[in-house]
Amino acid sequence: MVHTAAFDVTDGPAVAAGIADVEERVGPLDILVNNAGMQNRAPLLEFTDDAWRQILDTNLTSAFLVGREAARRMTTRGHGKIVNICSLQSEVVRPGIAPYAATKGALKMLTKGMCADWGRYGIQVNGLGPGYIETELTRPLVEDEEFSAWVRGRTPAGRWGRTEDLIGALLYLASPAADFVSGQVLYVDGGMTSVL
């Protein structure tokens, strides 16, 4: 059974009310996956202040706010799993996506900080780092034959990732099999971060 709750993950009071609502209707939150994210491709010199704040709030602040609220409850129960959806760009960057990479690099370090602060309460916090995954949001890049050929050539697996490629890694990080794994980012990128 799937339960839903809609709230603004960039607004602290809305997050607190949303998490409280979820726990009241469904029960204790044992696993949190922070997956809010956006991209805004533009040269850094042309990136506006408003666009910067929006990408920072969506990609980073939301994980802090939702993670903190979930952890407040998890710490009192003595267990929990948090998985932050990082990115290949938590490690590397290419022209035109510096603000996105900055948020995902910061999310990697927030993941490690959450691990350091909340590990003693039985909470494991890890990151999942997708590579180039074919989705509706990446459709323009997939359809750009030059860029798509670059991705396939640059990735040892020789292809774009699929959303199904992320399932096993996420299930592992959310499972008891990862009870002694924390502060790590598991890259599911076809090997791209491993080669020049």
Side-chain angles (χ1 to χ4, degrees), residues 41-61:
R41 295 176 187 90
L44 197 52
L45 288 174
E46 298 169 17
F47 214 80
T48 67
D49 295 357
D50 287 343
W52 171 262
R53 282 187 283 277
Q54 182 185 34
I55 200 168
L56 188 65
D57 283 349
T58 303
N59 294 359
L60 182 62
T61 302

Side-chain angles (χ1 to χ4, degrees), residues 29-123:
L29 183 63
D30 297 315
I31 300 165
L32 169 67
V33 179
N34 275 316
N35 191 32
M38 65 166 294
Q39 173 63 288
N40 187 341
R41 295 176 187 90
L44 197 52
L45 288 174
E46 298 169 17
F47 214 80
T48 67
D49 295 357
D50 287 343
W52 171 262
R53 282 187 283 277
Q54 182 185 34
I55 200 168
L56 188 65
D57 283 349
T58 303
N59 294 359
L60 182 62
T61 302
S62 66
F64 164 70
L65 293 173
V66 179
R68 180 185 63 185
E69 192 61 33
R72 284 179 172 151
R73 295 156 184 278
M74 291 174 175
T75 55
T76 63
R77 294 189 288 263
H79 65 88
K81 304 273 188 183
I82 298 174
V83 180
N84 293 323
I85 303 302
C86 296
S87 171
L88 167 74
Q89 275 81 34
S90 296
E91 298 294 333
V92 296
V93 69
R94 61 181 176 76
I97 62 166
Y100 178 84
T103 64
K104 292 300 185 173
L107 184 57
K108 175 182 79 170
M109 295 311 296
L110 179 61
T111 299
K112 291 177 180 293
M114 289 172 164
C115 161
D117 278 14
W118 302 334
R120 68 181 178 269
Y121 299 108
I123 300 172

